[in-house]
Amino acid sequence: MFGISLSLCANIGAAPTLSVLSIIVAACPPLALLLAVELLNRALKRHRASTAQGDAVTSVGTTELAVETCLAEVPDEVASSEPTAEQRMWVCPDFG
């Protein structure tokens, strides 16, 4: 807010004449920047919320399936006993 206020005061102070029209024109850039940043911030918050909800629903089933698929590739000597966490990590680096 401080930066926008400072920019607003500087732009109005630099106006060639202090008429209503020149003050409005001088005030437009910092106010447009403030509006653009606020709109972007709200859009990002909505995107994060929708992504988090979608990921929470699909990630549980997808991760379990991917781990099972990945562990199916465990070599026979490791598959005979329960693989350790380190062995799982090397076989499935994305899900270790």
Side-chain angles (χ1 to χ4, degrees):
M1 275 319 265
F2 178 74
I4 295 294
S5 300
L6 185 64
S7 179
L8 189 61
C9 291
N11 282 4
I12 290 173
T17 61
L18 291 180
S19 66
V20 173
L21 183 61
S22 67
I23 291 174
I24 291 173
V25 169
C28 282
L31 294 178
L33 176 64
L34 178 64
L35 179 65
V37 168
E38 185 62 29
L39 288 173
L40 180 63
N41 190 24
R42 288 184 184 188
L44 287 173
K45 283 181 183 177
R46 267 187 270 127
H47 177 72
R48 285 185 195 136
S50 66
T51 303
Q53 289 174 354
D55 286 348
V57 171
T58 60
S59 68
V60 173
T62 305
T63 302
E64 289 174 357
L65 179 63
V67 168
E68 288 174 8
T69 304
C70 191
L71 289 177
E73 300 171 2
V74 174
D76 290 334
E77 62 272 2
V78 176
S80 62
S81 64
E82 183 66 28
T84 64
E86 184 180 4
Q87 291 166 334
R88 288 183 190 173
M89 179 188 71
W90 287 112
V91 172
C92 305
D94 295 334
F95 303 103

